[in-house]
Amino acid sequence: MKINQYFFWGLVLNVLIVNACLAALQTQVLAVEESSVRKHQIPFSELVESGSISLVGSESVAYVNFGSRLDEVVYKASLALDFIPSPALLSLVSHIKVYLNDELMGVIPIEEGEQGSRVNTMLPFEPRFLSDFNQIRFEFIGHIYPRCSNPNDPSIWAEISQSSTLHLQTQKTALRSDLSLFPAPFFDKRDFRALSLPIIVGEEFDLETIRVAGILASYFGVLANWRSVDFPLGINTLPQQHAIVLMTNKNKPDFLKDFPDTKEPVVQVITHPLNPYVKLLLVIGKESYGLAQAVKGLVLGQQLLTGPMVVIDKVKQIEKRRPYDAPKWLNTDRRIAFSELVKNPLDLQVKGRNPPSVHINFKLPADLFTWQSRGIPLMLNYHYSPPLEDDSGSRLNLLINNQFIEAFNLTSQGEGSDQQRIRVPLIDDLLTRFDRIRIPAFKVGSNNRIDFKFSFASLTGGECQSMQPSTHFAVVDANSSIDFSGLPHYIQMPNLRAFANSGYPFTRLADLSETVVLLPTQKSMAVLQTFVNLMGYMGQYTGYPSIHVDLKQTWTEKELRDKDILSIGVIPQLQRRLIAADEANLILNASRRLLKLPFKNVQKGEHQWGNANEQQTAVDLVSVKARGSFAAMTGSQSPFNSQRSLVSIVGNTSDDFKLVTDGLNDKGKTPYMYGSVVLFKNAEVASYNVGEQYFLGELPIWTLVLYHFSHYPILLAALAVLLVLMVTIVLWRVLKIVKKRRLKMKEASK
C-alpha cells in the first residue's frame, strides 16, 4: 500500500515538473515569436541626404529610396506624410500622387483651408509591391487659377518635411546557415539604417584578438559605406542579435565552451542557441595567429565562401599596397571618367518638368596640394531635351560642394558646340555638348560632390497656351571626366580635419601597414571599444580593411620610428616624452586638465580652415581640476621621426571616449574639427590651432620656396629686388669684360 502511495506521489511530482518545464519552454517560445514581430519607424531624415524635399512647379517629381532586409518580411507598410502646400494652390485640382515601385499607392488632395498650413496624412502601402530595394515617387500636380495657369509659376510648390515617416511592420524569417549569403544577415545592403554589429570575445582574450576585432570592424565599415557604424565589444556575453564571435581553442565564450576545438582557421555560421531568427558568425583559430588568418580569409575572400563552414587554407599578400591607392579615393594618376564614379550609368540621367540634380560623389587624398593651381580640368559632355528657343532662360548649373561654379545655356539644338558629337543610346537623335571647364581648386576637399542642375524655362504663346513639353530628359554623359593628375602631395600638419574627414595620415596606405596603435598597459574596455570603432571608421574612409594595422601596449623607440602613431588613452611614457620636448598642447588625466590656447579661438558653429599663416604660438595656458564627461583629440609631430605624425585620443571613462567616437561618427560635427586640439564636451566641439607646425610630402624646389615665402610678401619682394640687383651686377661685370676684350682685339688688329 505504501509502495503504491509513493508511486502515486512520485508520478504526480513528475507530471508537475514536466508541466512546469513545458510552460517555461512555451513562454520562451512565445517570447521569441513576439520578438520576431517588429515595428520600424524610419523618418525621411535617415533616407534623404539633407533637409526637406521641394516640389516646385506642376508635374515636378521627387524620390525617396529604402530597402527591405533579407531576414524580414514586411506584412504591413504605411507612410505618414508631413508637408506644406503653397498658399496659392487651388483645392481639389491640386494634389500629390504617391507611387511605390512605379505602382500608384494613393492620391493626396489639397483640401480647402490646407493651403499654407502643415498637413499630416497617413497613406497605406500594399506590401506585395515591395522588393529588396524600393522607391517612393512623389508627383505634384498644382494649379493656381481655375481656368489655366503656367505650370512653372513660382507660386506652385509643396514642401515635404524630413519628419515624414515610413512605418513598417515586419516578421523575422529564419535564414539557413550559409556563407553564400554573407555579409548578410550581419550586414544587409538593403537596410539603409545605421549598422550596429556586436563582436564577442571570451574572457581570456589577448591583444591580437582585439586587433582581429578591429580588422573585422574595418571590413564592415567598408560595407556600411555612408551609414553610421557601431561595433559593441562584448566579453563573454550572449548577444541578442546577429553578431560575430571570435574564439580560439583556449578562449571561448561560456555559451560556446563545449564547441569542438580546431586545428585550422575556420569561419562558420550557426543559429543562436536561444533564438532561431538570429545568426552567429564564428571566426575560429587554434591560437591568435590562426584567428588572424581566419579573419583575413573572411574579409578578402568573401566571393569564395559557401556552405555553413569554410576552412581558410592560405592568405598571402602578393603585392604591397601603394600610397593613395585606397579604393574609395579617386585615382590622381590619370583622368577619371564619370562612369567610374557611379554604380549605374542611369544615375547620370534625370527626367521631369523640374528634374532633380545629377550628383557625383568622390573622395580625394587630404594632402593633395592645389596652391596656385590653374584649376582642375573637367571634360563635360551632356545632352538634353532642347527648349523651343535659344534664349529661353534654360540653364545647366554646375556646383561643387554646394558652391556655384558656372552656368551654361541650353540651346534649341540640344548641344553646346560643334567640337564633338556623340550619339548616346539612352536618348536617340540628341547631340552632346563638349566643354572643358576648370574647377577652382580651392573648392575641393577630402569629401566632394558635383551637382549638375538642369533648369528648363517655360514659354507661353498667349493665354492658356503653354509651349513646353510636360517631361524633360537630361543626361550627363558617362564619358565626361575629371583630372586631378599632376598635383603633388604636400600638407601642413598637425591637421585634425584631415584625420576626422579621411583618417589621414594613417589611411595614406589603405591597409594601415605603416600605422601603429598604442594602448595603455592596463586593460580598459573603454579604450578597446574606441579602438574597434575607430577601425570601423578607417574602413569607411578607405574602402579597404585595415588588415596590417599594428597594435601594441609595450614598445620601443625603434619600433615607432618609421610608423604613424595613433594613441588611445593616456600613455604615460609617450606623454612624458611630449612634455619633455614641449610638444604637449594638452595634458589630461583623472584630476587635471591643462590646455595651451592660441591667440584666436574658434568654437563649433564657425568655420576655420587653418591656413599656414595663422597664429600658431600659444599665448595662454589654462589648468583646471574638474569632473564630468570630457575628452580630447590632439595632433603633433611624432617624437621619433620628423616625417611621421602622432594623433592622441585621450579620456578617462567610457563616456569620455564615447564623446570622441560619436563625434567622428557625426557628419554634422566633423566640419568643425581642425588644427592640433579638438575638445569634446557634451554635444559641443571646440577646435584649436596651436603648437609647432610641420609639413609632410614633397614639392618641386621652386614651388616649395614660393609657397613658404608667399606668407611673407615684404620679405619676398625684398628678395626679388636683391635677386634683380645681383643679376644686374653679374650682367654688368660680364658686359664689362666683353667690352675690354673687344677693345683689346681692335687694338691688336691695328
Side-chain angles (χ1 to χ4, degrees):
M1 183 70 179
K2 288 185 177 180
I3 294 177
N4 291 336
Q5 189 176 9
Y6 290 149
F7 177 78
F8 173 76
W9 288 111
L11 182 61
V12 171
L13 182 61
N14 285 333
V15 170
L16 292 175
I17 293 174
V18 169
N19 286 337
C21 293
L22 289 174
L25 182 61
Q26 185 178 10
T27 302
Q28 187 174 355
V29 170
L30 289 174
V32 170
E33 290 296 331
E34 288 179 3
S35 66
S36 68
V37 178
R38 297 185 177 181
K39 294 182 180 180
H40 304 287
Q41 296 184 9
I42 310 175
F44 278 14
S45 57
E46 296 183 13
L47 300 176
V48 297
E49 292 192 3
S50 61
S52 58
I53 301 173
S54 297
L55 296 167
V56 181
S58 186
E59 299 184 39
S60 56
V61 179
Y63 302 90
V64 175
N65 300 314
F66 69 98
S68 301
R69 285 185 60 89
L70 178 65
D71 58 351
E72 292 181 348
V73 175
V74 180
Y75 66 87
K76 189 175 182 180
S78 59
L79 173 64
L81 190 62
D82 180 4
F83 70 100
I84 299 177
S86 166
L89 293 176
L90 288 178
S91 60
L92 299 181
V93 291
S94 300
H95 53 273
I96 298 176
K97 296 191 288 185
V98 182
Y99 292 82
L100 175 64
N101 297 332
D102 293 325
E103 188 74 26
L104 183 63
M105 292 290 105
V107 178
I108 302 173
I110 309 300
E111 303 286 355
E112 189 64 41
E114 292 181 344
Q115 298 92 334
S117 303
R118 184 171 295 276
V119 179
N120 294 280
T121 185
M122 183 69 72
L123 180 67
F125 283 171
E126 282 287 345
R128 58 194 175 95
F129 294 111
L130 290 169
S131 61
D132 290 346
F133 295 98
N134 306 284
Q135 184 178 79
I136 302 173
R137 184 172 86 247
F138 298 98
E139 289 189 4
F140 174 54
I141 306 299
H143 294 273
I144 56 176
Y145 298 114
R147 185 176 176 186
C148 59
S149 61
N150 182 353
N152 281 335
D153 192 295
S155 299
I156 301 176
W157 59 264
E159 198 83 10
I160 299 176
S161 172
Q162 61 179 339
S163 63
S164 299
T165 305
L166 184 65
H167 294 262
L168 301 176
Q169 295 186 31
T170 63
Q171 169 68 53
K172 298 289 287 185
T173 60
L175 299 177
R176 66 185 188 276
S177 296
D178 191 346
L179 285 167
S180 63
L181 301 175
F182 186 80
F186 309 99
F187 166 77
D188 195 330
K189 63 182 180 181
R190 308 162 185 81
D191 191 349
F192 294 177
R193 293 167 294 181
L195 172 64
S196 179
L197 180 63
I199 300 177
I200 310 300
V201 298
E203 288 184 349
E204 303 301 322
F205 66 89
D206 56 12
L207 202 61
E208 180 67 3
T209 301
I210 299 302
R211 190 182 81 88
V212 167
I215 295 174
L216 270 173
S218 69
Y219 170 71
F220 281 97
V222 173
L223 299 177
N225 199 359
W226 45 266
R227 301 167 182 82
S228 297
V229 295
D230 183 34
F231 302 95
L233 187 61
I235 309 298
N236 200 28
T237 56
L238 180 63
Q240 301 304 313
Q241 64 181 88
H242 301 306
I244 301 174
V245 182
L246 305 179
M247 60 185 189
T248 62
N249 291 347
K250 294 183 178 180
N251 182 38
K252 301 175 184 177
D254 288 345
F255 59 89
L256 292 173
K257 62 182 178 180
D258 296 327
F259 202 85
D261 289 347
T262 184
K263 295 181 180 180
E264 298 176 293
V266 171
V267 177
Q268 185 174 351
V269 176
I270 66 171
T271 301
H272 192 282
L274 301 178
N275 192 333
Y277 302 106
V278 173
K279 295 296 181 182
L280 301 179
L281 178 66
L282 308 185
V283 183
I284 313 168
K286 182 179 179 181
E287 70 295 306
S288 297
Y289 174 78
L291 186 63
Q293 287 293 100
V295 164
K296 291 178 182 178
L298 175 69
V299 302
L300 297 179
Q302 172 194 337
Q303 295 82 359
L304 305 176
L305 307 181
T306 57
M309 182 183 75
V310 295
V311 176
I312 307 300
D313 290 329
K314 185 178 182 180
V315 180
K316 181 180 179 181
Q317 186 179 36
I318 299 175
E319 185 178 348
K320 290 186 177 180
R321 305 291 303 192
R322 293 174 297 170
Y324 310 108
D325 70 348
K328 274 196 174 181
W329 292 5
L330 188 144
N331 189 331
T332 58
D333 295 333
R334 59 179 176 84
R335 183 179 299 277
I336 301 298
F338 285 3
S339 59
E340 301 177 58
L341 302 178
V342 295
K343 293 182 179 179
N344 189 331
L346 291 178
D347 293 339
L348 298 174
Q349 176 177 303
V350 291
K351 66 178 181 178
R353 186 184 291 275
N354 292 291
S357 297
V358 174
H359 61 266
I360 298 173
N361 297 300
F362 61 93
K363 294 178 178 288
L364 288 170
D367 61 353
L368 207 60
F369 188 77
T370 58
W371 182 75
Q372 283 198 343
S373 169
R374 292 187 301 143
I376 309 303
L378 173 66
M379 307 298 290
L380 180 59
N381 302 271
Y382 58 92
H383 44 257
Y384 49 89
S385 301
L388 297 176
E389 296 181 1
D390 286 344
D391 298 324
S392 64
S394 299
R395 299 282 189 272
L396 166 60
N397 295 309
L398 172 63
L399 295 91
I400 306 290
N401 298 333
N402 292 322
Q403 299 185 60
F404 175 76
I405 301 296
E406 197 167 345
F408 308 95
N409 287 325
L410 304 182
T411 68
S412 59
Q413 296 180 350
E415 61 176 336
S417 68
D418 295 327
Q419 297 181 36
Q420 180 175 343
R421 294 170 183 254
I422 301 175
R423 185 172 294 276
V424 182
L426 290 177
I427 301 178
D428 292 333
D429 300 325
L430 289 179
L431 302 177
T432 65
R433 164 173 177 163
F434 174 83
D435 267 318
R436 181 181 180 89
I437 306 160
R438 286 195 171 272
I439 302 172
F442 66 87
K443 296 181 184 295
V444 177
S446 295
N447 302 297
N448 304 279
R449 171 170 167 155
I450 304 178
D451 282 285
F452 301 94
K453 176 61 178 175
F454 290 88
S455 299
F456 295 94
S458 63
L459 297 173
T460 56
E463 185 180 7
C464 299
Q465 296 182 16
S466 177
M467 300 170 62
Q468 182 189 35
S470 60
T471 300
H472 292 278
F473 290 87
V475 177
V476 176
D477 198 278
N479 293 325
S480 301
S481 62
I482 192 168
D483 188 1
F484 286 89
S485 61
L487 295 175
H489 295 275
Y490 194 72
I491 188 173
Q492 174 195 325
M493 300 290 283
N495 189 334
L496 290 177
R497 172 173 284 116
F499 173 75
N501 287 329
S502 65
Y504 183 87
F506 310 107
T507 51
R508 177 176 165 271
L509 287 165
D511 59 0
L512 270 62
S513 55
E514 293 185 1
T515 295
V516 59
V517 181
L518 300 183
L519 305 182
T521 53
Q522 300 85 6
K523 285 184 179 179
S524 165
M525 279 300 299
V527 170
L528 300 180
Q529 179 67 73
T530 302
F531 164 73
V532 172
N533 277 341
L534 284 177
M535 291 302 103
Y537 304 157
M538 295 297 176
Q540 287 186 302
Y541 297 145
T542 64
Y544 192 82
S546 308
I547 57 176
H548 288 135
V549 65
D550 198 3
L551 185 62
K552 293 182 180 296
Q553 286 181 306
T554 58
W555 43 271
T556 64
E557 181 176 330
K558 182 179 179 180
E559 292 174 318
L560 303 183
R561 188 168 295 140
D562 295 324
K563 299 282 189 177
D564 291 306
I565 306 168
L566 176 59
S567 168
I568 305 175
V570 178
I571 314 293
Q573 184 181 354
L574 188 61
Q575 187 162 309
R576 286 194 297 269
R577 182 68 179 258
L578 293 174
I579 294 172
D582 196 27
E583 294 179 358
N585 298 315
L586 179 135
I587 300 172
L588 176 64
N589 55 39
S591 60
R592 184 186 174 208
R593 303 169 187 171
L594 185 146
L595 173 67
K596 294 179 181 178
L597 294 171
F599 177 77
K600 186 177 182 180
N601 172 27
V602 177
Q603 302 288 336
K604 182 176 183 284
E606 302 178 52
H607 281 290
Q608 186 73 8
W609 295 102
N611 298 320
N613 60 350
E614 286 181 357
Q615 176 70 30
Q616 294 283 330
T617 306
V619 296
D620 295 302
L621 186 146
V622 179
S623 178
V624 301
K625 294 181 179 180
R627 294 183 178 181
S629 296
F630 182 86
M633 189 165 60
T634 67
S636 64
Q637 193 174 32
S638 170
F640 311 110
N641 188 326
S642 61
Q643 288 299 300
R644 295 291 182 176
S645 300
L646 165 66
V647 173
S648 298
I649 296 174
V650 289
N652 293 308
T653 67
S654 58
D655 290 338
D656 295 346
F657 287 104
K658 195 172 186 301
L659 288 175
V660 179
T661 53
D662 287 351
L664 292 173
N665 212 12
D666 186 346
K667 304 308 180 186
K669 291 180 180 178
T670 51
Y672 302 102
M673 301 179 190
Y674 79 98
S676 58
V677 178
V678 177
L679 302 183
F680 300 86
K681 184 177 65 173
N682 298 326
E684 295 297 319
V685 173
S687 298
Y688 305 86
N689 200 2
V690 65
E692 294 296 325
Q693 62 179 333
Y694 61 101
F695 293 85
L696 298 180
E698 295 181 356
L699 288 177
I701 185 64
W702 183 244
T703 305
L704 184 68
V705 171
L706 285 179
Y707 174 66
H708 286 283
F709 276 98
S710 66
H711 309 304
Y712 307 97
I714 296 178
L715 179 59
L716 185 62
L719 288 175
V721 171
L722 181 61
L723 182 62
V724 170
L725 289 175
M726 291 175 62
V727 172
T728 302
I729 293 171
V730 170
L731 289 175
W732 179 75
R733 287 179 177 254
V734 170
L735 292 173
K736 189 174 182 181
I737 293 172
V738 171
K739 180 181 178 182
K740 286 183 179 180
R741 287 181 179 179
R742 285 181 178 177
L743 290 174
K744 287 182 180 181
M745 291 175 64
K746 286 182 179 181
E747 290 177 357
S749 64
K750 291 180 180 180

